[in-house]
Amino acid sequence: MTNKEIQEKVINIFSTFFNIDRAVIVPEAILAHIVRDSIQLFEVVIEFEREFGLQVKYDDLIKIITVQDVYDYITSQLKEAKSE
Amino acid sequence: MHVLNNKKIQPLSLDRVIFSTTFQAADTSAEDFLSKNELNYLHTYPKNKLLSWCAGRRAAKMAIAECVAENFNLFLEPYEIELIPRQFQKPGFSISSKSISIENRGTIESAIVFSISHSQNTTIALACDLNLNGMMGIDVEHVRSFAPRTAEAFLTADEFYNYRKLPLSRQDEQATRLWCIKEAYLKATGYGLRIHPQRVEILETEYQKYVLKKDGRVIQSSIQWALQDTFVVSCVQIPKS
């Protein structure tokens, strides 16, 4: 999966879940500003796991501050899964 | 900027714990309760979340100020308290009041713990003395329906079994309540969503009596919850060992 495809999927998930304009979902956008509450955050994590076939490590969530961090995290997890 | 109306409620009966609730109707100016740093930050915050951010700050500061007055006999203005957010960790606060010595400020800042929660247009906060009450967390959630895969993902196997046994009309409230209690525990401990909610299990042993387990181990805790209108409020207290 290319970086562009990852970004496209992430933007689709965010815009659908939070009912926000795609233009708002820029790499530097802060997640806490986009996510309404913890249930929504949890639902999005589940959706990422389903969409990308990943098992998110919840301990890692602390490092994810911006939308760019989401891209980077998914990219690194996909790479890790591929190399195993 | 006018943002908030403050109304206090006592949804849960816990000794020496201060609750404060704010609703997003107009009457108070942000300058009355935000510190200088917070006022500067205000302008960078997204407009769609501004009211809820302000409501959280106001509710927490009201609770902290009242708790400080009760436990230390010192009186703070809300704008003299600055909240220090930490993503997925317990937030802290600092006091800027010049009428309180630096030593006393440090004592208060480490003794008082607080917790904030938002749901729709309601924000609730609590503050208490760590030495008297132990660690505490609060959560408020509007009763909502969960997609079956979401409920299955955050409930343990036993919780999910019991939830599915309930009539459909009671399932939403039950799932919301369990999420709310788990979230309050995760806030009390400072774990936040850094640990999967399925690692926390809430079992009702008899009517309104709960046992909380983490990773299968019983955690000594006190769980309270209340249904207020269409909101569930829960509070978890973990006594100091």
Side-chain angles (χ1 to χ4, degrees), chain B residues 111-122:
Chain B
I112 305 289
V113 289
F114 70 97
S115 176
I116 310 174
S117 182
H118 305 268
S119 184
Q120 297 194 347
N121 67 344
T122 297

Side-chain angles (χ1 to χ4, degrees), chain B residues 1-21:
Chain B
M1 189 177 100
H2 294 279
V3 280
L4 306 165
N5 177 41
N6 187 63
K7 184 186 170 193
K8 267 193 182 175
I9 55 167
Q10 288 283 356
L12 309 164
S13 55
L14 287 162
D15 193 29
R16 298 174 73 90
V17 177
I18 310 296
F19 293 98
S20 178
T21 307

Side-chain angles (χ1 to χ4, degrees), chain B:
Chain B
M1 189 177 100
H2 294 279
V3 280
L4 306 165
N5 177 41
N6 187 63
K7 184 186 170 193
K8 267 193 182 175
I9 55 167
Q10 288 283 356
L12 309 164
S13 55
L14 287 162
D15 193 29
R16 298 174 73 90
V17 177
I18 310 296
F19 293 98
S20 178
T21 307
T22 53
F23 298 92
Q24 293 167 11
D27 88 334
T28 309
S29 172
E31 285 79 8
D32 293 340
F33 63 92
L34 293 180
S35 69
K36 277 183 187 160
N37 285 337
E38 287 167 335
L39 281 169
N40 289 334
Y41 181 66
L42 190 69
H43 304 294
T44 66
Y45 212 72
K47 285 201 171 92
N48 63 331
K49 296 196 81 177
L50 206 53
L51 281 174
S52 122
W53 184 80
C54 286
R57 253 134 196 84
R58 177 157 163 108
K61 289 174 182 211
M62 303 292 285
I64 291 168
E66 200 168 321
C67 200
V68 171
E70 192 174 307
N71 291 288
F72 294 90
N73 204 26
L74 293 168
F75 299 92
L76 293 168
E77 294 293 339
Y79 58 80
E80 293 177 319
I81 300 166
E82 186 168 311
L83 305 190
I84 306 163
R86 301 181 187 113
Q87 181 154 286
F88 301 120
Q89 292 177 69
K90 265 186 116 51
F93 70 95
S94 64
I95 296 168
S96 64
S97 173
K98 291 195 172 62
S99 60
I100 300 175
S101 71
I102 291 176
E103 195 182 294
N104 269 348
R105 282 185 231 167
T107 307
I108 296 166
E109 286 162 8
S110 56
I112 305 289
V113 289
F114 70 97
S115 176
I116 310 174
S117 182
H118 305 268
S119 184
Q120 297 194 347
N121 67 344
T122 297
T123 298
I124 189 160
L126 69 75
C128 65
D129 188 322
L130 185 62
N131 296 312
L132 293 170
N133 302 94
M135 297 188 292
M136 296 192 74
I138 196 164
D139 194 49
V140 59
E141 300 289 347
H142 190 255
V143 175
R144 50 161 288 171
S145 56
F146 290 88
R149 70 173 176 171
T150 306
E152 198 167 7
F154 79 82
L155 298 174
T156 63
D158 283 349
E159 288 169 344
F160 190 66
Y161 174 77
N162 292 331
Y163 155 81
R164 290 297 291 266
K165 271 198 318 192
L166 290 171
L168 277 176
S169 58
R170 291 189 51 210
Q171 287 185 358
D172 289 347
E173 190 193 308
Q174 175 69 356
T176 307
R177 175 166 52 239
L178 290 173
W179 175 276
C180 204
I181 296 172
K182 289 180 187 215
E183 176 89 355
Y185 168 72
L186 295 176
K187 284 181 176 178
T189 53
Y191 290 126
L193 259 191
R194 281 181 299 149
I195 73 163
H196 197 294
Q198 264 181 346
R199 289 174 60 188
V200 181
E201 184 167 50
I202 315 296
L203 298 171
E204 192 168 2
T205 51
E206 54 188 280
Y207 183 65
Q208 295 215 3
K209 295 265 181 204
Y210 297 90
V211 167
L212 188 150
K213 291 182 180 179
K214 177 175 170 272
D215 297 329
R217 228 184 88 231
V218 174
I219 303 290
Q220 197 193 346
S221 58
S222 159
I223 296 170
Q224 295 210 22
W225 67 272
L227 183 65
Q228 297 231 325
D229 303 323
T230 51
F231 290 90
V232 176
V233 184
S234 77
C235 181
V236 172
Q237 181 175 27
I238 301 163
K240 211 173 174 196
S241 50

